[in-house]
Amino acid sequence: AHAILYETIVKLREQKVHVPQALRHPFVLLHSYVLVKKLSKRGEQDLAARMLLRVAQSISKFPAHVVPILTSVVVACTKAGLRASAHEYATQLMQPEYRQQIDPKFKRKIEGLIRKPDLEEAAEATSTCPVSGQATPVTSLECPTTKEELPMCVVSGRHMERDDWCICPNSQMSALYSQYMLYIKGE
């Protein structure tokens, strides 16, 4: 699905046709999920957790994978110190329709998060919105002023910034230059 959406988006861009939201949003969700493993491997636990939170906000689009995705969200958020989010999704996982499907090796930890909630959570880092110039959470893909879609960095999942922009020569997708260079050095 990810590859098909990617190819369709590339073809539309080659023809200079606007990519509709109906294609962009599923691609963003799938690509965010794909990025999680790469970000975790690079030690960017906070960003990986926020990518999973982006996916979890649209969990209804993945009905067959609800429990594994939410379990990953809880684990990643716990590692990243996003305790309030971990608690929120742990509570969702403990609903009767999902409880029996939770992997036994995570069940105790998830139950513990619910019993002894620690709801502290650091605020998300911000960067300048390329449209309005306002401080915007780095993983937000919507301008806070105009509600316009912000382009996503294909390497990090963050929104693009006006003075840190490049195009990946392989994918022809936007990337934050600083993140792209880190990615290249890591590969």
Side-chain angles (χ1 to χ4, degrees):
H2 181 265
I4 293 168
L5 286 170
Y6 166 72
E7 289 173 17
T8 306
I9 289 170
V10 168
K11 286 178 184 174
L12 287 173
R13 287 184 176 165
E14 285 172 357
Q15 297 172 3
K16 302 203 184 315
V17 176
H18 175 72
V19 178
Q21 181 69 13
L23 281 178
R24 182 182 185 272
H25 187 67
F27 175 76
V28 165
L29 290 176
L30 289 172
H31 195 68
S32 296
Y33 189 74
V34 168
L35 285 174
V36 170
K37 192 171 187 178
K38 294 175 183 178
L39 292 168
S40 292
K41 189 177 170 184
R42 289 196 327 231
E44 296 187 54
Q45 301 305 327
D46 184 68
L47 201 50
R50 293 193 189 278
M51 291 301 106
L52 280 169
L53 287 171
R54 181 184 287 161
V55 173
Q57 289 169 351
S58 298
I59 198 69
S60 63
K61 305 247 190 262
F62 309 99
H65 305 284
V66 172
V67 173
I69 290 172
L70 292 181
T71 303
S72 296
V73 170
V74 172
V75 171
C77 286
T78 302
K79 283 182 183 176
L82 304 175
R83 288 169 178 57
S85 295
H87 181 266
E88 175 186 346
Y89 289 101
T91 303
Q92 197 171 335
L93 265 174
M94 282 296 138
Q95 291 177 2
E97 63 267 27
Y98 303 134
R99 187 180 209 128
Q100 298 307 314
Q101 300 172 46
I102 300 172
D103 188 327
K105 70 178 182 180
F106 296 115
K107 196 168 190 173
R108 262 221 151 105
K109 186 174 185 172
I110 291 169
E111 288 170 342
L113 284 170
I114 294 170
R115 274 191 230 112
K116 299 177 185 174
D118 177 1
L119 302 179
E120 288 185 30
E121 188 163 302
E124 184 175 357
T126 61
S127 63
T128 306
C129 171
V131 175
S132 66
Q134 289 189 330
T136 307
V138 294
T139 60
S140 174
L141 298 177
E142 184 179 274
C143 173
T145 306
T146 65
K147 303 299 179 200
E148 191 175 328
E149 295 173 6
L150 298 178
M152 179 182 76
C153 170
V154 74
V155 175
S156 68
R158 296 170 42 181
H159 68 76
M160 293 299 295
E161 297 174 33
R162 197 175 281 161
D163 50 349
D164 190 19
W165 200 299
C166 74
I167 302 293
C168 172
N170 295 329
S171 69
Q172 299 301 310
M173 304 287 260
S174 305
L176 292 166
Y177 181 76
S178 57
Q179 293 294 314
Y180 187 70
M181 295 310 291
L182 287 172
Y183 171 74
I184 289 174
K185 288 177 185 171
E187 289 296 304

